[in-house]
Amino acid sequence: MNAIEIKDLRKTFDGEKYILDGITLNIPKGKITVIIGFSGTGKSVLIKHVLGLIRPTSGSINVLGTDIGLLNDEQMIRFRSHFGMLFQDAALFDDFTTIENVLFPIQEFRKDLSKEQKLEIAKLKLSQVGLSEEHYDKLPSELSGGMRKRCGLARAIALDPDILLYDEPTTGLDPVMTETVDNLILNTHNHNRESTTVVISHDLHAAFRLGDHIAMLDGGKVLLEGNAKTFFDSDIDLVQKFVAKGIKHE
Amino acid sequence: MIFVTNFIQQLRTAIEDYMIFLGKFSIFGYESVRLFFKKPYRMDQLVKHLEFVANKSIFIICLTAFFTGMVLSFQIYLGYKTINSENLVGPTVGLGIFRELGPVLTGLIVSARAGGAMAARLGTMRVTEQIDAFAVMGINPKQFLIGPRIIAALIAMPLLNGVFCFVAMLGAYFISVYLLNLDSAVFIDKLKVWLNPQHLNEGLFKAFVFGGLFGTICTYRGYHTKGGAKGVGEATNSGVVNSMVLIIVSDFFLTKMIRLFLVWTGL
Ligand SMILES: Nc1ncnc2c1ncn2[C@@H]1O[C@H](COP(=O)(O)OP(=O)(O)OP(=O)(O)O)[C@@H](O)[C@H]1O
Ligand SMILES: [Mg+2]
């Protein structure tokens, strides 16, 4: 069972250079899939296609049984409530407090709930990511980088999305923080076994630690996909280099 | 010769680029405003931005208006005195303010103040991916962020123009009656004879158009910011400069069009 099926996806912005050049990738449901690759290989562009933020030049994307190429803009916007996304810098709304940030999607989409129930959910999600009550009324600018990420994650899971996306969750963090965030991803996934998690990463260690399924992009194509063993056993030059040294940060 | 053809070529591409920009920006504005009138309505956002655009501009508008009224009266007084028609200072200033200076200066001031802030705010939201976050959450960012801002500018500008005209006339009255010793009754009387509501309407209409112009340009620039903090500065700068230039240029054509319209309808 696949949550996301990408078929022969191609994308060019200028009509000449294809950033994505025939990507075919299945992302299994209920698992953690890690997408790795050098900087600039189009990982973020790929994820934006899945979210329908960018339209493909050719090829198709099927999410939870819906061909999103057939949705118009307004349907697409509604369809996105299936997704939760943690952005690289959390992308918190900077004039909202921590709790308001988490409350925002709940207020928008759960009009059926009472005020207390909404607050209840927000607090639950915040405790789930380990943010304590003393931080609820702080603005994003008053939080540390790690706390911002936690808050962003709480907001992403506020509506229990079917698919959770992380765009480079640990880039730019120190090793301790990296491990904390990785654990957060694992815990969050274990909390809701039904949900599908997709992580974009530079970091091969994280990929091996988190990923049930790993796909590596290069030159606009999927170079290799499989589990950690596939990557260790691969005799592709580039993959061996990665396994030996880890992916270099650029 | 080559130089000339090169120059023409460059001019052509420049004009073409500008036309394309105008097209894109019109669609952007139209779409955002259309979305504003669709569910879910964003009234709370509109009120918030109205407060920012209108309420917080009042002080600076009053200040500028009062001094504009005074200095304009004084200059016109100096000119008219040489032909002994000081009596007409009031209506001349009135016509100038109501039809031209009111809407144009209000437009320039508010686009610099509120428009610049809009572009900077949206630019920041763009580069920190907050706009994407709205989109990913299933909320249309144009509906939530852009529509209310443009509508706020459209509503606020005529109101602020009204304030500007009123305060500028106070300034004119003040300097004419108390400093230049013109007769107060004559000043008021001439105003009544020469000015009619149509002149004010003309200014209000212009202000409305200018509101739409700077609201759309500044939000467009902010919304399409690229490349980090530097991009935000560029977006703000280009939003404000473009708004100001377009306000002044379109003012000329609006004036012409309004004259034509009046002749055509025989008003
Ligand atoms: N909207 C766009 N218009 C034009 N080109 C774009 C656009 N978005 C991305 N690109 C280009 O696509 C390429 C891939 O970008 P992308 O952000 O997907 O890389 P990435 O794999 O996520 O890299 P990183 O690991 O550094 O985040 C880059 O060369 C970038 O310049
Ligand atoms: Mg990226």
Side-chain angles (χ1 to χ4, degrees):
Chain A
M1 192 45 193
N2 292 322
I4 304 171
E5 292 176 3
I6 302 167
K7 266 202 209 81
D8 204 25
L9 179 69
R10 285 162 63 87
K11 176 69 186 179
T12 168
F13 287 104
D14 53 11
E16 285 170 24
K17 190 171 174 283
Y18 278 85
I19 308 285
L20 304 179
D21 197 5
I23 297 230
T24 300
L25 181 65
N26 291 329
I27 293 176
K29 199 171 170 185
K31 298 244 162 73
I32 300 183
T33 300
V34 183
I35 299 175
I36 55 173
F38 275 126
S39 183
T41 45
K43 302 183 296 292
S44 298
V45 171
L46 179 66
I47 218 82
K48 283 184 182 161
H49 276 92
V50 172
L51 286 164
L53 293 170
I54 302 179
R55 297 275 179 178
T57 309
S58 69
S60 75
I61 301 160
N62 193 304
V63 179
L64 302 169
T66 307
D67 183 349
I68 63 168
L70 302 177
L71 302 178
N72 66 27
D73 284 353
E74 268 160 52
Q75 290 167 325
M76 191 65 234
I77 285 169
R78 244 167 288 134
F79 187 75
R80 291 199 194 109
S81 52
H82 289 294
F83 293 105
M85 170 132 178
L86 178 60
F87 289 87
Q88 189 165 337
D89 294 311
L92 296 177
F93 304 132
D94 45 24
D95 45 3
F96 288 4
T97 62
T98 306
I99 189 99
E100 283 169 347
N101 262 291
V102 183
L103 262 174
F104 183 74
I106 305 172
Q107 275 165 344
E108 285 291 321
F109 291 99
R110 297 299 302 273
K111 307 243 174 202
D112 52 313
L113 298 180
S114 73
K115 218 172 162 183
E116 288 76 33
Q117 284 171 312
K118 290 178 193 169
L119 202 63
E120 198 71 21
I121 299 182
K123 285 185 175 166
L124 181 76
K125 299 295 172 186
L126 278 167
S127 69
Q128 198 176 317
V129 299
L131 265 183
S132 58
E133 203 139 337
E134 60 189 299
H135 304 302
Y136 287 2
D137 293 322
K138 288 184 180 165
L139 289 170
S141 53
E142 299 163 334
L143 296 175
S144 75
M147 288 191 226
R148 274 205 289 277
K149 270 212 166 132
R150 284 162 195 266
C151 178
L153 182 56
R155 188 180 68 181
I157 59 174
L159 297 172
D160 297 315
D162 302 312
I163 301 175
L164 246 178
L165 307 166
Y166 299 82
D167 192 353
E168 305 193 10
T170 55
T171 303
L173 297 184
D174 62 59
V176 178
M177 201 58 223
T178 301
E179 201 175 320
T180 317
V181 172
D182 284 347
N183 287 333
L184 210 57
I185 295 173
L186 272 177
N187 287 342
T188 310
H189 184 75
N190 291 336
H191 228 86
N192 184 0
R193 277 299 197 169
E194 290 289 290
S195 75
T196 307
T197 301
V198 182
V199 183
I200 294 184
S201 182
H202 282 297
D203 182 3
L204 204 65
H205 287 294
F208 288 160
R209 233 164 76 74
L210 298 175
D212 302 313
H213 188 73
I214 304 168
M216 183 170 159
L217 299 192
D218 194 63
K221 292 195 168 60
V222 178
L223 187 67
L224 183 67
E225 63 175 309
N227 55 20
K229 192 170 178 316
T230 326
F231 276 75
F232 278 118
D233 296 347
S234 162
D235 48 14
I236 303 175
D237 238 17
L238 211 53
V239 177
Q240 280 184 340
K241 245 187 247 167
F242 282 175
V243 174
K245 295 184 192 162
I247 299 179
K248 273 173 269 163
H249 288 268
E250 279 177 42
Chain B
M1 197 57 213
I2 292 171
F3 176 76
V4 174
T5 38
N6 263 350
F7 177 74
I8 292 176
Q9 192 61 40
Q10 273 175 10
L11 196 68
R12 238 188 73 185
T13 26
I15 292 175
E16 268 175 16
D17 284 352
Y18 207 68
M19 286 296 163
I20 291 171
F21 161 68
L22 280 183
K24 278 190 185 159
F25 127 88
S26 310
I27 293 170
F28 175 83
Y30 167 75
E31 211 182 325
S32 307
V33 170
R34 187 181 61 91
L35 280 169
F36 182 79
F37 295 100
K38 287 190 148 190
K39 274 189 176 174
Y41 305 116
R42 302 295 182 183
M43 275 306 163
D44 51 334
Q45 291 296 311
L46 176 65
V47 172
K48 185 176 126 190
H49 293 303
L50 259 179
E51 210 261 322
F52 177 72
V53 178
N55 219 2
K56 296 208 166 136
S57 301
I58 285 186
F59 176 72
I60 186 171
I61 288 286
C62 289
L63 191 73
T64 338
F66 197 75
F67 279 92
T68 308
M70 288 205 299
V71 75
L72 196 63
S73 307
F74 188 57
Q75 291 286 5
I76 287 174
Y77 167 82
L78 292 179
Y80 277 5
K81 205 172 73 152
T82 57
I83 49 168
N84 288 325
S85 8
E86 297 99 317
N87 282 345
L88 289 179
V89 167
T92 311
V93 172
L95 282 176
I97 296 274
F98 278 34
R99 296 203 301 209
E100 291 298 339
L101 285 182
V104 170
L105 284 181
T106 312
L108 295 182
I109 293 164
V110 180
S111 64
R113 204 202 126 262
M118 283 181 190
R121 184 84 188 86
L122 289 169
T124 311
M125 296 187 82
R126 166 63 74 195
V127 299
T128 55
E129 296 182 303
Q130 288 176 57
I131 293 184
D132 287 328
F134 276 110
V136 170
M137 258 180 218
I139 291 163
N140 191 332
K142 281 189 188 152
Q143 185 176 31
F144 193 88
L145 299 170
I146 311 297
R149 282 184 164 84
I150 298 181
I151 303 274
L154 283 172
I155 298 176
M157 273 295 293
L159 297 176
L160 288 172
N161 179 42
V163 173
F164 187 101
C165 293
F166 178 72
V167 177
M169 290 320 288
L170 283 185
Y173 181 87
F174 172 78
I175 197 166
S176 303
V177 174
Y178 294 105
L179 296 179
L180 305 173
N181 291 319
L182 301 180
D183 188 72
S184 152
V186 173
F187 185 93
I188 304 257
D189 196 50
K190 291 281 177 198
L191 271 185
K192 278 188 186 156
V193 174
W194 282 84
L195 284 172
N196 55 49
Q198 191 196 301
H199 298 129
L200 183 62
N201 288 344
E202 193 178 323
L204 292 180
F205 174 71
K206 281 182 176 176
F208 179 78
V209 175
F210 296 159
L213 272 178
F214 90 75
T216 314
I217 293 177
C218 290
T219 50
Y220 178 90
R221 286 300 190 195
Y223 191 81
H224 292 102
T225 300
K226 282 200 187 88
K230 188 161 157 280
V232 177
E234 280 165 10
T236 311
N237 186 40
S238 114
V240 172
V241 171
N242 273 304
S243 302
M244 289 185 159
V245 172
L246 257 173
I247 283 175
I248 291 172
V249 173
S250 69
D251 179 57
F252 173 78
F253 292 103
L254 273 176
T255 309
K256 279 281 181 202
M257 264 163 47
I258 291 168
R259 288 282 89 68
L260 247 140
F261 175 77
L262 291 180
V263 170
W264 184 54
T265 54
L267 282 170

